[in-house]
Amino acid sequence: MNTPLAPARPTRLSHALRDNLTMLRRNLLHARRYPSLTLNLLLTPVILLLLFVYVFGNVMSAGITGGHADRSEYVAYLVPGILFLTAAMTSLGTAVSVATDMTEGIMARFRTMAISRASVLIGHVVGSVIQTMMALVLVLGIGLAIGFRPDASPVEWLAAAGLMALVSLALTWLAVGIGLISPNAEGASNIGTPLVMLPFLSSAFVPVDAMPGWFRWFAEYQPFSPFIETLRGLLLGSGIGTTNALLAVGWGLGLTVLGYLWSKARFSREPRQ
């Protein structure tokens, strides 16, 4: 007589995957129900894009091209920098969201539940990266509408998308760490301000060659300049250079690992309520 087979027991991996998907759904629903934070953070790079193109465009392009004012050239120069500014500002929303969960006791409640502890942070991270990529597509669309004309092959577009996803992941993990150490949502916004300021101190708006010598070294080798120069080369077909490519990938991977380890350590040892 055949004995019916017992149903397969869920594995630990399947439990973790289910928990990750649940936390991802929670964070996406939260973003959909309360879109004001994302919209407020997204407005700043859009306004800066329009301001620099239509108010300062001719003057800035004349400085870059050596006296010949051409707003369209400055649009091509500016959009890659604005894209990474958008990623930085969107990640600030993640820091605020994590800090809010910490101060309202939601994180402490999750600790007591029979769920994968890593899923609590992974849900924030994956949800934020998805929102960031959507925001980047929106800003890129605005750039195309005002005259940005990329000259990239399908392979270069894929590489550009991969770079933006890597940078978004790195910034998000750092933002999670900022949220975990912040006393409240306002503190997270303040502590995360240097992360948002770095694109302004890079080659996003003007070439590093135009900067004072004492500041040029920092602007050239801080993370955002290699990110921006690599993206410019990919989208505009101007070549990225081995140094910029290696620095961009190195900074992206390094910041991702650093942010992950920092966030994991803080979440494991600080049961703040």
Side-chain angles (χ1 to χ4, degrees):
M1 182 176 179
N2 294 330
T3 304
L5 294 176
R9 298 181 62 183
T11 64
R12 187 172 183 178
L13 180 61
S14 65
H15 275 302
L17 179 60
R18 182 196 61 191
D19 294 339
N20 290 336
L21 292 174
T22 300
M23 289 299 168
L24 171 60
R25 182 174 179 272
R26 169 189 177 263
N27 286 286
L28 291 178
L29 287 174
H30 189 272
R32 190 181 70 179
R33 291 172 181 170
Y34 305 99
S36 57
L37 176 61
T38 301
L39 290 177
N40 288 337
L41 294 172
L42 188 59
L43 277 177
T44 300
V46 171
I47 291 173
L48 285 174
L49 173 62
L50 298 176
L51 177 68
F52 272 83
V53 169
Y54 291 107
V55 178
F56 306 122
N58 284 335
V59 175
M60 299 293 280
S61 64
I64 292 175
T65 60
H68 174 64
D70 187 345
R71 184 179 285 117
S72 64
E73 290 191 14
Y74 191 61
V75 172
Y77 184 88
L78 182 64
V79 168
I82 292 294
L83 288 173
F84 283 117
L85 176 62
T86 302
M89 299 210 70
T90 307
S91 70
L92 189 62
T94 305
V96 172
S97 179
V98 171
T100 300
D101 281 354
M102 292 291 288
T103 55
E104 291 182 353
I106 297 174
M107 291 291 196
R109 182 179 179 185
F110 285 150
R111 292 172 190 273
T112 65
M113 298 173 65
I115 61 174
S116 169
R117 298 188 70 177
S119 68
V120 179
L121 299 184
I122 291 174
H124 272 290
V125 170
V126 177
S128 178
V129 170
I130 291 173
Q131 294 176 64
T132 300
M133 296 303 290
M134 293 173 62
L136 291 173
V137 170
L138 175 61
V139 173
L140 180 59
I142 295 174
L144 293 171
I146 64 173
F148 180 60
R149 297 295 179 263
D151 182 20
S153 67
V155 173
E156 289 170 329
W157 273 111
L158 286 174
L163 176 63
M164 288 188 284
L166 174 62
V167 174
S168 299
L169 181 64
L171 296 178
T172 299
W173 273 117
L174 290 175
V176 168
I178 291 171
L180 291 173
I181 67 170
S182 301
N184 48 47
E186 292 78 11
S189 180
N190 293 332
I191 295 173
T193 299
L195 195 64
V196 177
M197 291 302 298
L198 276 178
F200 292 95
L201 307 178
S202 69
S203 61
F205 298 96
V206 297
V208 294
D209 293 340
M211 300 177 182
W214 57 271
F215 184 72
R216 188 179 305 160
W217 184 89
F218 171 79
E220 186 174 359
Y221 292 104
Q222 61 117 322
F224 280 94
S225 287
F227 294 156
I228 293 168
E229 293 302 322
T230 301
L231 187 62
R232 278 198 186 111
L234 290 171
L235 294 183
L236 301 178
S238 57
I240 59 177
T242 304
T243 300
N244 281 328
L246 291 176
L247 285 174
V249 174
W251 272 118
L253 294 175
L255 292 175
T256 299
V257 173
L258 175 64
Y260 167 76
L261 294 176
W262 179 35
S263 300
K264 182 181 177 182
R266 294 297 302 186
F267 186 68
S268 297
R269 80 172 189 231
E270 186 179 0
R272 189 169 78 238
Q273 299 185 7

